[in-house]
């Protein structure tokens, strides 16, 4: 009996085991009946999936009995679904044919369509959707950039509330601000392009942009210590396009106002028959003049990349990005009154205040190689090396202060000088992360990241000045001939910084409605200077919580801080080093999705304080610094509201509003309660695009409205600060608010040909963006463009 019982038990155990071995196998094909290697196959209800091998074959094992929806997907193809009924001890063969999707780039703004926009993890370092993060993250798709005809960073990021142009520095750079912080860092593929702490910005071309990611608020956990002035306000990461494993591409020609001529191309596809190696090459040329006389621009952009799927668990992507831009800087116009009166002169377009030989050259290149290795269904290893080089070469005129004649200031008469400057910037990052996705420990699950990064940057600058060359009257004809020059002895500066960081983040899901975020970063930063080296450490924590009372609503709150080491070596009253400054941020709000994730509404409230500033202590004359002391309280707080999505399949809407209350508080240099320069209290953006499906099929119409509120042209000094046009104890005037309205119309003739028309600033409203009183540049007047495109 014992033997019979034992055999029976063995039989039933084997029977039960066999019943659990139901499996699904099959092959994945494209619409040309070619196999698709490494495609994904998954059953969402079971949280079970796998990847096909290099021959397109897959096998899913241990499928329980029941009716399940099986999905298959691959880069560049539409997702396919099959319903399969599994019974005990049964294996089924399910083949898939995936349809090529040439509209893959239609990623919705803020990442609505794609769960994880390309390279989002380079700044968050977590495999979590932007919607589920505890900080404000916005993603602008390349498709939206193309639909709006945006050619600059400023034109693209105006779709995000609270992000606005700080200054163009005479039409030479694009310096952006967020939440009242000037010159926030601009990254490309996860690495800084420009390491200058002043945040003067850079230029780039939109042709190679896959998406633009904006992380608002302090970025201490992912990006390290706040070595830039604008870092506590956020970062902008420009993501370039990468290869696709299906053949396609497009060519286009854009022509428009002021002699604009801009051809572009984009070509991608597999290299080998197995589709394990793919390439992409895209680029652009542009030649254009300006509404202002004697101003021109030429640029060249080139972006090649290569992707290699070594096996179904390992992918390596290498990419390069090169941009060369040569343009005439524009001094803009002048203010025809004192510092406290807005009398900006609408300079006629035939007047140019510089010299005809003035030129600003920007040359940048970035290189990245990324490794993604799946260690298991739950663990992955990500490695990346990012490198960027930037060269700036500026030669041009400068304007001095107004001339005084018989004790009366002649604001329309200015001395004109000439100077040259160069800058070379090199930045690199080596980064490795171990990622765990939804790993269970008892009843709770963890999505975590453990990693390190090594960051190195160096820069060198030179400048030469020829002094005052002549005097001009803005009311009279101006000679643009450059006189003979004698440059003085140059000024040279260089520095190197090395930083090593260790990062730990854990997102703990306690149940379906509660998640907590915890994180810590340690950074060690060394600055190598000509005389001495300085080294500083910083610990930066992150903490947060997300409560989901309903499936489509996330209530969140978070705390982060970042450290600012550049002034850490300043000495106190007793000769001691004062150490790092610190920025603390509290952020809370709601993130919600509606209409089956087609429409999203977000509300964010934030407060950022810097209460640990290394401030100068002056003597009674406000001229000599006696020593430095900890103190101050610079505060930024505000509200951001955004609504975005496609409530209908053919209707896209984007709307946003931002209120920024930025104040200097308890500061030794600035008036209590005054706002930092160029900080508007109110910004608004709205965009609608409608595509006709039946009547006028192929036609789409779009329009955008963008409002920038009034803002102070300069800081309000209470005595010690007198440079850059600041008048002590005199409140600077406010630059007027302005509203720009753009419209677009496009027609898709067939699967290949399309035509797009764009009118920017259709009501020809003139606004101004200024950097103190050195550069007062107007917005572009009304302009027209047309783009003919052929896709294949």
């Amino acid at each position: 009996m014992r033997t019979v019982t034992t055999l029976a038990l063995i039989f039933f155990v084997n029977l039960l085991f066999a019943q659990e071995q139901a499996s699904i196998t099959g092959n994945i094909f494209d619409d040309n009946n070619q196999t698709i290697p490494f495609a994904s196959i998954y059953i969402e209800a079971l949280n079970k999936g796998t990847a096909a091998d290099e021959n397109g074959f897959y096998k899913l094992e241990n499928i329980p009995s029941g009716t399940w929806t099986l999905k298959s997907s691959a880069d560049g193809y539409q997702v396919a679904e099959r319903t399969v009924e599994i019974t005990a001890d049964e294996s089924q063969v399910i083949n898939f044919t995936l349809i090529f999707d040439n509209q893959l780039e239609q990623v919705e703004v803020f990442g609505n369509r794609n769960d994880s926009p390309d390279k989002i993890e380079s700044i968050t370092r977590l495999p979590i959707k932007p919607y589920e993060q505890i900080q404000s993250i916005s993603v602008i798709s390349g498709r939206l950039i193309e639909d709006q005809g945006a050619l600059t960073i400023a034109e693209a990021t105006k779709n995000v509330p609270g992000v606005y142009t700080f200054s163009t520095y005479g039409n030479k750079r694009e310096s952006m601000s967020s939440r009242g912080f000037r010159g926030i860092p601009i990254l490309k593929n996860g690495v800084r392009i420009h390491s200058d702490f002043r945040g003067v910005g850079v230029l780039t071309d939109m042709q190679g942009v896959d998406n633009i990611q904006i992380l608002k608020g302090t970025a201490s956990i992912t990006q390290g210590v706040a070595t830039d002035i604008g870092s506590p306000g956020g970062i902008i990461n420009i993501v370039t396009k990468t290869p696709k494993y299906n053949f396609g591409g497009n060519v286009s020609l854009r022509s428009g106002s002021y002699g604009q001529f801009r051809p572009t191309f984009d070509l991608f596809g597999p290299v080998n028959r197995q589709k394990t190696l793919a390439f992409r090459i895209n680029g652009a040329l542009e030649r254009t003049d300006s509404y202002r006389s004697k101003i021109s621009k030429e640029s060249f952009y080139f972006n090649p990349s290569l992707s290699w799927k070594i096996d179904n668990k390992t992918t390596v992507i290498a990419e390069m990005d090169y941009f060369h831009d040569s343009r005439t800087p524009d001094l803009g116009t002048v203010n025809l009154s004192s510092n406290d009166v807005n009398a900006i002169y609408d300079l006629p377009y035939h007047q140019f205040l510089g010299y005809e030989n003035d030129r600003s050259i920007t040359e940048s290149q970035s290189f990245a190689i990324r490794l993604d290795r799946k260690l298991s269904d739950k663990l992955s290893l990500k490695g990346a090396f990012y490198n960027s080089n930037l060269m700036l070469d500026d030669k041009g005129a400068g304007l001095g202060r107004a001339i005084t004649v018989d004790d009366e200031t002649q604001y329309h008469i200015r001395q004109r000088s000439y100077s040259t400057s160069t800058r070379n910037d090199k930045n690199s990052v080596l980064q490795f992360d171990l990622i765990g996705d939804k790993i269970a420990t008892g009843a709770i699950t963890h999505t975590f990241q453990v990693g390190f990064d090594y960051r190195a940057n160096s820069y060198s600058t030179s400048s030469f000045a020829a002094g005052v060359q002549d005097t001009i009257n803005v009311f009279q004809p101006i000679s643009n001939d450059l006189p003979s020059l004698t440059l003085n002895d140059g000024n040279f500066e260089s520095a190197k910084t090395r930083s090593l960081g260790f990062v730990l983040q854990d997102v703990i899901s306690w149940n379906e409605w509660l998640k907590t975020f915890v994180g810590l970063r340690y950074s060690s930063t060394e600055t190598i200077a000509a005389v001495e080296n300085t080294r500083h450490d910083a610990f930066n924590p992150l903490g947060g919580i997300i409560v989901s009372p309903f499936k489509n609503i996330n209530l969140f709150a978070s705390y982060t801080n970042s450290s600012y080491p550049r002034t850490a070596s300043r000495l106190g009253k007793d000769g001691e080093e004062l150490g790092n400054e610190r920025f603390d941020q509290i952020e809370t709000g709601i993130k919600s999705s509606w209409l089956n994730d087609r429409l999203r509404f977000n509300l964010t409230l934030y407060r950022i304080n810097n209460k640990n500033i290394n401030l100068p202590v002056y003597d009674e004359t406000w001229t000599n610094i006696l020593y430095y002391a900890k103190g101050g309280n610079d505060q930024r707080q505000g509200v951001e509201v955004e609504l975005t999505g496609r409530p209908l399949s053919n209707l896209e809407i984007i709307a946003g509003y931002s209120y920024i209350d930025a104040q200097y508080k308890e500061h030794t240099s600035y008036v209590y309660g005054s706002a930092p320069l160029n900080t508007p209290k109110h910004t608004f953006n709205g965009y609608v695009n409608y595509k006709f499906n039946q009547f006028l099929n192929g036609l789409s119409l779009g329009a955008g409205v963008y409002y920038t509120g009034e803002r102070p042209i300069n800081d309000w000094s209470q005595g010690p600060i007198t440079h850059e046009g600041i008048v002590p104890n005199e409140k600077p005037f406010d630059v007027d608010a302005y509203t720009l309205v753009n419209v677009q119309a496009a027609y898709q003739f067939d699967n290949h040909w399309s035509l797009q028309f764009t009118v920017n600033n259709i009501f020809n409203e003139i606004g101004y963006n200024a950097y103190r009183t050195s550069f007062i540049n107007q917005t572009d007047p009304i302009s027209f463009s047309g783009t003919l495109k052929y896709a294949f």
Side-chain angles (χ1 to χ4, degrees):
M1 287 295 296
R2 289 180 179 176
T3 302
V4 173
T5 303
T6 301
L7 291 174
L9 287 173
I10 293 174
F11 173 78
F12 282 113
V13 167
N14 282 318
L15 180 60
L16 289 173
F17 180 77
Q19 288 176 340
E20 294 178 356
Q21 296 305 299
S23 63
I24 303 174
T25 61
N27 289 279
I28 313 297
F29 300 95
D30 62 17
D31 43 4
N32 292 320
N33 206 33
Q34 299 292 316
T35 58
I36 302 176
F38 310 129
S40 296
I41 303 91
Y42 54 97
I43 301 175
E44 189 173 1
L46 298 176
N47 196 24
K48 180 183 289 289
T50 188
D53 62 18
E54 64 273 14
N55 298 314
F57 174 79
Y58 76 91
K59 184 175 184 180
L60 272 175
E61 299 180 303
N62 298 327
I63 309 299
S65 299
T67 301
W68 311 107
T69 299
L70 189 63
K71 297 182 180 181
S72 180
S73 62
D75 290 344
Y77 295 88
Q78 298 176 8
V79 176
E81 295 185 3
R82 294 282 300 275
T83 299
V84 57
E85 185 175 347
I86 298 295
T87 57
D89 193 19
E90 178 187 24
S91 295
Q92 293 199 29
V93 177
I94 303 294
N95 295 325
F96 282 93
T97 298
L98 303 186
I99 305 301
F100 172 53
D101 183 4
N102 199 35
Q103 302 299 318
L104 183 65
E105 293 183 13
Q106 293 185 15
V107 183
E108 306 299 348
V109 68
F110 308 135
N112 282 12
R113 179 175 175 181
N114 278 14
D115 288 346
S116 183
D118 192 22
K119 303 176 192 171
I120 189 69
E121 293 175 22
S122 68
I123 58 173
T124 66
R125 300 174 78 167
L126 278 171
I128 296 179
K129 307 173 187 177
Y131 166 68
E132 296 177 341
Q133 294 281 349
I134 58 171
Q135 287 181 284
S136 178
I137 299 177
S138 300
V139 181
I140 303 171
S141 72
R143 185 68 183 184
L144 178 69
I145 294 171
E146 182 179 335
D147 286 346
Q148 294 184 347
L151 295 179
T152 67
I153 300 173
E155 288 178 343
T157 56
K158 66 178 179 287
N159 293 286
V160 180
V163 178
Y164 52 94
T165 298
F166 174 75
S167 177
T168 65
Y169 295 95
N171 195 39
K172 296 184 296 186
R173 312 278 185 264
E174 282 196 273
S175 179
M176 307 303 299
S177 287
S178 173
R179 293 184 171 179
F181 288 91
R182 57 171 285 193
I184 64 176
I186 296 177
L187 289 64
K188 183 167 282 188
N189 296 325
V191 63
R192 287 178 182 169
I193 304 173
H194 200 309
S195 61
D196 186 2
F197 75 97
R198 290 170 295 181
V200 297
V202 295
L203 298 171
T204 194
D205 195 288
M206 291 293 106
Q207 168 61 18
V209 174
D210 178 88
N211 65 86
I212 298 178
Q213 303 160 1
I214 298 98
L215 172 61
K216 296 178 188 173
T218 175
S220 60
I221 289 296
T222 59
Q223 295 302 315
V225 291
T227 52
D228 291 359
I229 279 181
S231 292
I235 57 175
I236 295 174
N237 185 35
I238 300 169
V239 176
T240 55
K241 295 175 181 177
T242 51
K244 297 182 181 180
Y245 285 85
N246 47 74
F247 182 77
N250 62 76
V251 293
S252 73
L253 178 62
R254 175 169 172 164
S255 181
S257 301
Y258 317 117
Q260 183 188 49
F261 179 78
R262 178 182 168 86
T264 69
F265 69 92
D266 186 7
L267 179 65
F268 52 83
V271 175
N272 58 353
R273 183 177 179 182
Q274 294 78 19
K275 295 186 179 180
T276 59
L277 195 64
F279 76 97
R280 188 165 193 167
I281 302 176
N282 69 85
L285 291 168
E286 186 171 359
R287 166 68 176 86
T288 185
D289 294 320
S290 169
Y291 61 88
R292 191 168 301 286
S293 175
K294 302 185 185 303
I295 290 180
S296 64
K297 165 199 163 182
E298 298 88 32
S299 66
F300 168 70
Y301 176 78
F302 185 59
N303 170 222
S305 56
L306 193 67
S307 178
W308 179 25
K309 292 184 177 180
I310 299 175
D311 54 37
N312 61 355
K313 294 183 177 181
T314 310
T315 302
V316 175
I317 296 177
E319 52 196 311
M320 197 262 294
D321 180 89
Y322 176 81
F323 177 66
H324 183 277
D325 181 277
S326 176
R327 64 178 61 195
T328 309
D330 183 6
L331 288 174
T333 185
V334 298
N335 191 54
L336 297 177
S337 187
S338 57
N339 184 64
D340 59 342
V341 177
N342 184 345
I344 295 176
Y345 176 46
D346 291 329
L347 187 72
Y349 294 160
H350 68 270
Q351 288 277 56
F352 171 57
L353 303 185
Y355 298 114
E356 61 182 359
N357 289 12
D358 292 356
R359 210 66 181 167
S360 177
I361 297 175
T362 298
E363 184 175 2
S364 66
Q365 62 182 22
S366 65
F367 173 78
I369 182 167
R370 295 182 286 143
L371 168 69
D372 192 339
R373 170 71 179 178
K374 292 183 179 179
L375 303 178
S376 68
D377 291 341
K378 301 293 185 180
L379 289 174
S380 61
L381 178 67
K382 295 181 182 294
F385 175 74
Y386 302 98
N387 177 271
S388 73
N389 295 291
L390 173 69
M391 185 202 75
L392 305 176
D393 188 347
D394 295 335
K395 297 179 175 66
L399 292 182
R401 294 187 177 183
I403 299 297
T404 299
V405 179
D406 297 331
D407 294 329
E408 184 176 346
T409 303
Q410 306 294 316
Y411 292 102
H412 60 290
I413 301 177
R414 303 294 176 107
Q415 289 182 328
R416 189 164 55 170
S417 61
Y418 186 85
S419 63
T420 71
S421 66
T422 64
R423 181 181 182 94
N424 288 287
D425 237 311
K426 297 182 179 180
N427 290 269
S428 60
V429 176
L430 178 65
Q431 178 175 303
F432 281 93
D433 293 306
L434 177 66
I435 306 295
D437 190 10
K438 298 179 181 178
I439 295 180
T441 56
I444 63 176
T445 61
H446 300 261
T447 297
F448 67 84
Q449 171 263 331
V450 180
F452 78 90
D453 53 72
Y454 175 74
R455 300 169 184 267
N457 65 69
S458 63
Y459 74 89
S460 61
T461 64
S462 68
S463 61
F464 299 87
V468 175
Q469 299 300 302
D470 52 21
T471 301
I472 60 174
N473 185 334
V474 298
F475 294 155
Q476 298 177 356
I478 297 172
S479 173
N480 302 117
D481 294 332
L482 180 64
S484 58
L485 299 172
T486 301
L487 297 176
N488 63 7
D489 293 336
N491 295 319
F492 301 90
E493 182 181 344
S494 64
K496 297 180 180 179
T497 302
R498 302 291 183 266
S499 177
L500 181 64
F502 296 92
V503 187
L504 169 65
Q505 298 181 88
D506 189 11
V507 181
I508 306 172
S509 298
W510 300 92
N511 48 49
E512 292 183 355
W513 57 270
L514 178 63
K515 292 181 181 179
T516 56
F517 285 62
V518 291
L520 180 68
R521 178 185 177 94
Y522 166 76
S523 298
S524 173
T525 302
E526 182 177 26
T527 300
I528 304 168
V531 178
E532 64 174 335
N533 298 348
T534 58
R535 180 182 173 278
H536 300 279
D537 299 308
F539 285 92
N540 298 116
L542 174 148
I545 184 172
I546 287 183
V547 178
S548 304
F550 304 99
K551 183 178 181 181
N552 62 327
I553 296 178
N554 288 341
L555 306 176
F556 71 96
S558 68
Y559 166 79
T560 57
N561 77 31
S562 58
S563 301
Y564 184 71
R566 283 190 177 270
T567 63
S569 58
R570 286 180 173 175
L571 302 180
K573 186 175 182 180
D574 298 323
E576 75 281 8
E577 285 193 357
L578 297 180
N580 294 331
E581 299 181 18
R582 197 175 90 175
F583 295 85
D584 296 287
Q585 172 179 287
I586 298 174
E587 187 171 338
T588 187
I590 179 173
K591 299 182 180 182
S592 62
S593 65
W594 308 90
L595 303 178
N596 195 26
D597 205 29
R598 298 197 308 271
L599 188 67
R600 292 191 175 181
F601 173 79
N602 299 332
L603 171 66
T604 304
L605 296 88
Y606 64 89
R607 173 179 288 181
I608 307 173
N609 288 89
N610 180 7
K611 298 181 179 180
N612 207 21
I613 313 172
N614 298 328
L615 294 171
V617 178
Y618 295 89
D619 61 13
E620 295 180 356
T621 65
W622 292 99
T623 56
N624 299 313
I625 298 176
L626 301 177
Y627 53 89
Y628 291 87
K630 287 288 187 183
N633 177 15
D634 292 348
Q635 178 175 283
R636 275 81 166 173
Q637 60 185 358
V639 179
E640 294 164 350
V641 181
E642 52 192 20
L643 177 69
T644 178
R646 289 183 183 270
L648 303 175
S649 61
N650 60 337
L651 176 64
E652 180 179 14
I653 61 172
I654 301 168
Y657 167 76
S658 171
Y659 170 76
I660 304 172
D661 178 18
Q663 297 183 32
Y664 291 120
K665 307 179 77 171
E666 303 171 22
H667 205 293
T668 58
S669 298
Y670 302 109
V671 171
Y672 183 92
S674 63
L677 75 162
N678 287 347
T679 303
K681 283 188 177 295
H682 307 277
T683 66
F684 170 80
N685 61 278
Y687 172 75
V688 176
N689 185 280
Y690 182 82
K691 184 176 181 180
F692 294 84
N693 285 336
Q694 297 178 351
F695 179 69
L696 299 177
N697 184 33
L699 177 66
S700 62
L701 299 176
V705 180
Y706 310 96
Y707 171 83
T708 303
E710 63 178 22
R711 56 234 177 267
I713 194 172
N714 218 329
D715 289 314
W716 188 359
S717 170
Q718 60 176 320
I721 306 297
T722 60
H723 66 288
E724 301 280 8
I726 294 176
V727 179
N729 297 306
E730 184 176 271
K731 182 180 179 180
F733 70 82
D734 286 335
V735 180
D736 291 337
Y738 63 88
T739 302
L740 302 180
V741 179
N742 303 336
V743 297
Q744 305 93 33
Y747 188 79
Q748 187 77 36
F749 293 96
D750 51 31
N751 292 331
H752 300 289
W753 291 97
S754 64
L755 184 63
Q756 178 178 337
F757 291 98
T758 301
V759 184
N760 286 337
N761 195 6
I762 192 170
F763 296 114
N764 202 32
E765 180 170 350
I766 303 303
Y768 287 94
N769 293 305
Y771 175 65
R772 306 189 190 271
T773 54
S774 299
F775 300 100
I776 303 177
N777 295 106
Q778 75 158 65
T779 57
D780 290 346
I782 185 172
S783 63
F784 305 84
S785 68
T787 303
L788 180 64
K789 182 178 179 180
Y790 178 79
F792 49 88

